[in-house]
Amino acid sequence: MGKHLTLTALLLLTFNGLLAQKGNNSTLKIKDIMKGDDFVGHLPSNHHWSSNGSTLYFDWNPDGALSDSLYAYSIEKKEIKKVDFLAANALPSSRLTYNQQKTKAIYAKNGDIFLLDMASYKSTPITKTQERENNPHFTNNGKGIAYTKDDELYVWDMASGTTEQMTHFVKSKDKEAKRDSKDEFLYQDQLDLFDVLSERKAKKDAGEAISKKLETLEPLTLETGGKSVMGLEISPSGQYITYLLVDRPKTKGTIVPHYVTESGYTEDQNTRSKVGDEPTKYEMFVYNLAKRESYPVVLDNLEGLDYVPEYTKDYPDKPYKNEDRIGFINGPTWNPEGTKAILDIQANDYKDRWIVLLDPQTGKVEQLDRQHDQAWIAGPGISGWGGGSLGWMPNGKEFWFMSEKTGYAHLYAMDINSKKAKALTSGEFEIYDPFISKDESRWYFGSNKTHPGDRQFYTMPLKGGKWEQLTNMIGGNDVILSPDETQMAILYSYSNKPTELYLQENPVHAKKQTEVVQLTHSTTKDFKAYDWKDPEIITFQAEDGANVYARLYQPESSVKNKAAVIFVHGAGYLQNAHKWWSSYFREYMFHNLLVDNGYTVLDIDYRGSAGYGRDWRTGIYRHMGGKDLSDQVDGAKMLVDKYGIDTDKIGIYGGSYGGFITLMGMFNAPDTFSAGGAIRSVGDWAAYNHGYTARILNTPATDSLAYRRSSPIYFADGLKGKLLILHGMVDDNVHFQDMVRLSQRLIELGKENWEMAVYPVERHGFVEPSSWTDEYTRIFNLFEEALLDKK
């Protein structure tokens, strides 16, 4: 009897397994490809060199352990070995700060500060405490090491081994209340009448005078007024300390309940606020150590501080206020002598970037460059929380920076005296991560010069001129040079070839073309068993005449079902129609599965995507769901006109920004898209965060029109086709509340052709393979039923 029951159970399991794959004619199975790295292989990442260049380190997991581990490739022995945990922990950080002579380096690791001697490669701990020390930098002309701890700055003297506290921040200084005229009369009268009181006061005054003399040996007490301290740094000469006082307004966060918890109780997580926060106020100060005084950095001479954005003309009856446009202040970037510094300043409305020269003696600045955009300042190397890419040229008279002045992110050098800028690169392509060689004779940088979807590594002379392409493998080449710059470690991938680690001798030093050697082989047997498709990169014309790049996957004519699926990548400012291994690799594998089942798949770099310059980047300003949606509609039309797709067999899906576009497509282009899978979608931009949304749509209070025309919740009545909504319930990026609100709207509108699948333990980026599998099985079934009428 027991054997019979066991056999029956096995038959049922087999039947259920076959049932789950019903309709899928591919050898790929959704459950397998949604295992992610366990199916593809755990790929190498985070490559970096040892400080002496003898070893190439990288994170890897060829054995499928619980997490990646550190591995080391020996240049001499030409072999890879795993580094054990304690040995890895003892290694210097990959982020080193060098002294001017490049003889010593400092770094922070595990909350402590270390000094590395470049001749012996011996590392010495400067601190070893329970507190966390950060931001190490050289000072006192390379004789001291500065670092921060608990919002104070300290300097360790190399010669004496003495550590000195350089700052002392307090909320407010204790001050005696000033006497009014009545009390002052009584006070002086008492001193005149009574000798004992007068004598005691004299002794007290003498003691205070001694105390004040002793205070000059201590750090100057600096008042914060309750504001936060940021950006503490001392100049290379040791003469000046700069710091920011930051006043953050109180904001109301959003509660995200967690229902599936270890405790068995619902647990609340307090997450970000919504767009429209009052701007944070930033003030920079210079603390002159010799003069023992602190004074503000004066920014009132910057061009355009009174700028009123053009969009406000749409609201003639609404007064616009932005009394202090100064946003985050990045820097200082000191010259080697510590006599001048460059500051990189952002406007709090994101429409300006000022690069200024700071005179630390006075706190005054001189504007060197203003980058202005009616939409918002961004682009490779141009803007961000950590500031743009910039630095001093070796001659100390010029500095370099990035700008989208021509419409594409390029490299410039400017003389600080003449303020004349010279373009070192130009063209309808972009520059990425430029840096100057160790011998200060040339530049190294990445660029998509050959094709928007091809990333190569280049060099050129310091003053600009002829480029030399150093990598030649089509795809993505992420290059890290060895300390002596003779070797190039490359994380390389192609459209259908996952990332692997390669080594190549730098042609600059070899003075010839050199061979590339593959060091890692990471993909699994199961992954290699399938013939992965190399999607064609195509262009098509949008309704406004723009050329749109896209990845196209086509099925064999024998299985073509005249149905198409359009995939919309997330993030908005991201590129996916490229020739390297996609960060959307699960979706890439799913597209292979769809093609095997007869679907044509189109993956569009719509307006707002990265890699195509300023105009493409800002094409969504004040109207998300405008050109970025019409690009999808034009792509669908191209599929019908050129590739024989039936007009009533087009589906659309995507996650995050891609989910948002899916909603807008289903609501505003219902005759184009018969089905849509909206994953972790934004339903109302007024509910998203400030840093991202305010750049593109301004704020709801100042530009309500932009939010009304950009938010799907206002267009839900347009739904005709079949909509599937999928969302993690503990998403702390795009809150689950967004889709709860949208579902209520759909209910009130009487819409019946939609469903929602929720994932109780998932945040914005799903983690569990079971969740991925459930999600994509539902999406596959959606397209099978809605586009092919399969039940």
Side-chain angles (χ1 to χ4, degrees):
M1 186 67 178
K3 291 182 180 180
H4 176 71
L5 284 174
T6 302
L7 181 60
T8 302
L10 286 171
L11 287 171
L12 284 171
L13 285 171
T14 304
F15 175 75
N16 288 336
L18 292 171
L19 186 65
Q21 295 299 326
K22 183 180 179 182
N24 177 18
N25 297 315
S26 175
T27 57
L28 295 172
K29 307 303 177 189
I30 293 175
K31 187 175 182 180
D32 292 335
I33 62 178
M34 292 304 152
K35 292 176 183 176
D37 291 338
D38 287 343
F39 177 76
V40 175
H42 294 261
L43 310 179
S45 63
N46 189 31
H47 57 326
H48 57 280
W49 291 90
S50 64
S51 51
N52 63 359
S54 65
T55 306
L56 176 58
Y57 293 105
F58 56 99
D59 292 334
W60 200 28
N61 187 4
D63 300 324
L66 290 176
S67 63
D68 285 3
S69 299
L70 187 69
Y71 281 75
Y73 174 77
S74 169
I75 300 298
E76 181 183 357
K77 297 180 180 178
K78 294 181 170 46
E79 63 180 17
I80 295 174
K81 286 189 175 181
K82 185 176 181 178
V83 183
D84 70 62
F85 176 78
L86 291 178
N89 188 61
L91 289 171
S93 167
S94 60
R95 296 182 178 181
L96 301 176
T97 299
Y98 295 91
N99 64 357
Q100 196 170 352
Q101 297 77 23
K102 304 289 192 299
T103 57
K104 298 183 184 299
I106 48 179
Y107 62 92
K109 188 169 184 179
N110 299 328
D112 288 312
I113 307 298
F114 296 83
L115 174 66
L116 180 66
D117 182 81
M118 299 307 296
S120 64
Y121 302 111
K122 182 181 178 182
S123 187
T124 303
I126 305 304
T127 67
K128 201 170 184 181
T129 68
Q130 290 296 310
E131 296 85 12
R132 295 192 68 82
E133 291 87 22
N134 300 290
N135 188 31
H137 49 286
F138 285 99
T139 187
N140 298 335
N141 301 311
K143 299 174 184 176
I145 295 172
Y147 59 87
T148 57
K149 179 176 71 173
D150 296 330
D151 292 333
E152 301 287 2
L153 189 136
Y154 298 80
V155 171
W156 179 75
D157 184 78
M158 289 189 193
S160 67
T162 302
T163 299
E164 181 179 359
Q165 182 174 336
M166 307 301 295
T167 60
H168 177 220
F169 289 99
V170 296
K171 185 175 181 179
S172 63
K173 297 178 184 177
D174 293 327
K175 296 178 181 176
E176 287 187 25
K178 190 174 180 180
R179 292 181 287 272
D180 59 22
S181 58
K182 180 185 72 172
D183 289 344
E184 182 64 25
F185 170 79
L186 291 173
Y187 175 77
Q188 293 297 336
D189 193 46
Q190 291 292 94
L191 294 177
D192 292 340
L193 286 170
F194 303 104
D195 291 343
V196 66
L197 294 180
S198 180
E199 291 170 1
R200 287 178 180 178
K201 181 179 183 303
K203 289 179 181 179
K204 179 183 176 185
D205 290 346
E208 288 179 351
I210 294 172
S211 295
K212 284 190 175 182
K213 288 181 180 180
L214 292 174
E215 282 178 9
T216 62
L217 303 177
E218 301 295 328
L220 180 68
T221 300
L222 302 168
E223 282 189 277
T224 67
K227 300 172 184 176
S228 302
V229 179
M230 289 183 63
L232 260 175
E233 187 167 329
I234 191 168
S235 64
S237 63
Q239 292 177 282
Y240 309 100
I241 293 173
T242 55
Y243 60 94
L244 294 175
L245 291 185
V246 182
D247 187 11
R248 291 188 177 89
K250 291 184 178 179
T251 58
K252 184 178 181 180
T254 303
I255 299 298
V256 174
H258 293 230
Y259 292 97
V260 180
T261 63
E262 292 182 6
S263 69
Y265 291 88
T266 301
E267 298 172 5
D268 290 339
Q269 177 188 358
N270 190 21
T271 66
R272 62 162 176 81
S273 61
K274 303 182 190 298
V275 61
D277 295 338
E278 286 295 315
T280 299
K281 295 185 182 298
Y282 298 92
E283 300 170 279
M284 178 172 270
F285 293 82
V286 176
Y287 170 20
N288 187 317
L289 290 162
K291 293 183 177 180
R292 288 185 58 79
E293 62 178 353
S294 177
Y295 39 86
V297 173
V298 182
L299 300 174
D300 57 9
N301 62 339
L302 300 185
E303 182 184 346
L305 286 177
D306 58 351
Y307 167 73
V308 177
E310 285 74 10
Y311 75 84
T312 58
K313 294 175 183 176
D314 288 347
Y315 307 93
D317 299 325
K318 184 188 294 185
Y320 177 79
K321 280 188 177 182
N322 191 359
E323 296 173 357
D324 181 3
R325 292 188 66 224
I326 300 298
F328 192 71
I329 305 170
N330 296 285
T333 300
W334 292 97
N335 65 354
E337 296 77 25
T339 56
K340 299 180 186 298
I342 297 169
L343 305 179
D344 185 355
I345 304 169
Q346 301 174 29
N348 60 21
D349 58 14
Y350 310 110
K351 301 181 190 302
D352 272 294
R353 176 195 185 196
W354 297 277
I355 302 176
V356 304
L357 187 66
L358 170 66
D359 178 1
Q361 286 187 314
T362 64
K364 294 181 179 180
V365 302
E366 187 178 1
Q367 182 175 302
L368 298 174
D369 186 67
R370 178 195 180 194
Q371 297 174 20
H372 175 72
D373 199 310
Q374 291 184 15
W376 75 98
I377 291 287
I382 291 167
S383 188
W385 178 253
S389 299
L390 56 76
W392 288 91
M393 296 289 279
N395 61 20
K397 300 175 182 178
E398 297 174 289
F399 76 99
W400 63 269
F401 62 100
M402 299 282 290
S403 173
E404 278 186 328
K405 182 179 180 180
T406 64
Y408 293 84
H410 280 290
L411 184 59
Y412 293 80
M414 177 184 285
D415 185 287
I416 61 172
N417 295 314
S418 69
K419 299 186 184 64
K420 290 183 179 179
K422 176 188 176 183
L424 302 181
T425 62
S426 62
E428 294 187 356
F429 51 84
E430 297 191 314
I431 302 297
Y432 303 93
D433 304 318
F435 64 94
I436 296 173
S437 63
K438 291 283 179 69
D439 65 7
E440 300 181 337
S441 68
R442 62 181 58 247
W443 288 96
Y444 289 105
F445 51 83
S447 179
N448 61 354
K449 182 180 181 181
T450 56
H451 183 279
D454 182 36
R455 212 59 85 72
Q456 300 294 335
F457 190 62
Y458 297 88
T459 187
M460 75 172 182
L462 189 65
K463 294 293 184 181
K466 186 179 179 181
W467 293 24
E468 181 182 355
Q469 184 174 324
L470 302 179
T471 53
N472 289 290
M473 298 182 290
I474 295 173
N477 292 270
D478 181 4
V479 177
I480 301 291
L481 291 179
S482 61
D484 62 4
E485 299 184 348
T486 62
Q487 300 284 335
M488 303 191 304
I490 310 168
L491 285 177
Y492 167 76
S493 67
Y494 185 66
S495 303
N496 60 355
K497 295 177 182 177
T499 304
E500 298 289 3
L501 183 60
Y502 294 75
L503 188 65
Q504 180 182 350
E505 191 177 356
N506 186 352
V508 170
H509 289 264
K511 302 188 184 305
K512 63 179 181 179
Q513 276 299 321
T514 54
E515 296 297 318
V516 182
V517 178
Q518 183 173 344
L519 302 183
T520 61
H521 297 82
S522 309
T523 51
T524 66
K525 180 181 177 181
D526 289 340
F527 179 86
K528 288 184 281 192
Y530 181 81
D531 185 16
W532 297 98
K533 296 161 182 63
D534 181 2
E536 180 184 1
I537 306 293
I538 65 165
T539 60
F540 63 88
Q541 195 171 70
E543 61 179 5
D544 62 355
N547 280 325
V548 184
Y549 282 80
R551 274 185 169 190
L552 177 67
Y553 302 74
Q554 293 192 76
E556 297 290 338
S557 57
S558 59
V559 298
K560 185 172 182 176
N561 56 23
K562 295 190 175 182
V565 171
I566 293 180
F567 170 67
V568 190
H569 69 67
Y573 191 65
L574 182 143
Q575 187 176 6
N576 208 45
H578 52 62
K579 299 181 181 181
W580 59 85
W581 185 245
S582 176
S583 58
Y584 289 95
F585 64 94
R586 287 183 179 87
E587 289 79 356
Y588 164 78
M589 294 189 289
F590 182 61
H591 298 160
N592 277 260
L593 181 147
L594 288 175
V595 170
D596 289 346
N597 283 279
Y599 292 90
T600 300
V601 179
L602 189 66
D603 175 359
I604 300 171
D605 272 345
Y606 50 86
R607 234 63 67 96
S609 296
Y612 305 94
R614 181 265 170 195
D615 290 349
W616 205 262
R617 174 179 65 77
T618 61
I620 57 174
Y621 178 58
R622 296 192 70 207
H623 192 183
M624 291 194 273
K627 289 182 179 179
D628 45 356
L629 174 59
S630 65
D631 287 343
Q632 316 294 333
V633 174
D634 292 335
K637 185 177 184 299
M638 181 268 301
L639 290 174
V640 172
D641 294 343
K642 190 172 180 180
Y643 294 96
I645 300 302
D646 290 345
T647 56
D648 60 347
K649 292 183 178 180
I650 301 176
I652 186 170
Y653 89 101
S656 197
Y657 198 99
F660 150 72
I661 287 292
T662 297
L663 292 175
M664 290 296 266
M666 295 301 293
F667 297 162
N668 285 348
D671 295 329
T672 299
F673 303 110
S674 299
I679 310 168
R680 46 190 175 274
S681 318
V682 174
D684 184 353
W685 285 109
Y688 198 51
N689 71 31
H690 185 86
Y692 180 89
T693 321
R695 282 173 162 82
I696 305 171
L697 299 180
N698 306 305
T699 68
T702 62
D703 199 0
S704 56
L705 291 173
Y707 283 80
R708 288 296 294 254
R709 63 177 166 234
S710 299
S711 297
I713 198 166
Y714 295 109
F715 304 100
D717 194 34
L719 178 63
K720 291 182 182 178
K722 178 80 174 192
L723 173 63
L724 173 62
I725 299 171
L726 311 104
H727 213 104
M729 294 180 72
V730 293
D731 191 332
D732 48 12
N733 180 9
V734 179
H735 297 144
F736 179 55
Q737 179 194 23
D738 225 17
M739 288 302 98
V740 174
R741 293 177 66 236
L742 180 61
S743 66
Q744 179 61 28
R745 180 70 179 144
L746 291 168
I747 290 167
E748 292 183 8
L749 289 169
K751 299 294 181 181
E752 299 179 354
N753 48 332
W754 65 280
E755 294 178 353
M756 185 188 297
V758 300
Y759 298 89
V761 299
E762 298 292 0
R763 298 182 186 270
H764 196 61
F766 281 20
V767 174
E768 300 301 328
S770 57
S771 300
W772 280 101
T773 300
D774 183 272
E775 185 177 44
Y776 276 82
T777 299
R778 291 178 188 276
I779 293 171
F780 179 75
N781 291 339
L782 167 73
F783 294 142
E784 288 282 279
E785 294 171 11
L787 305 184
L788 302 180
D789 201 27
K790 293 182 180 180
K791 303 295 183 183

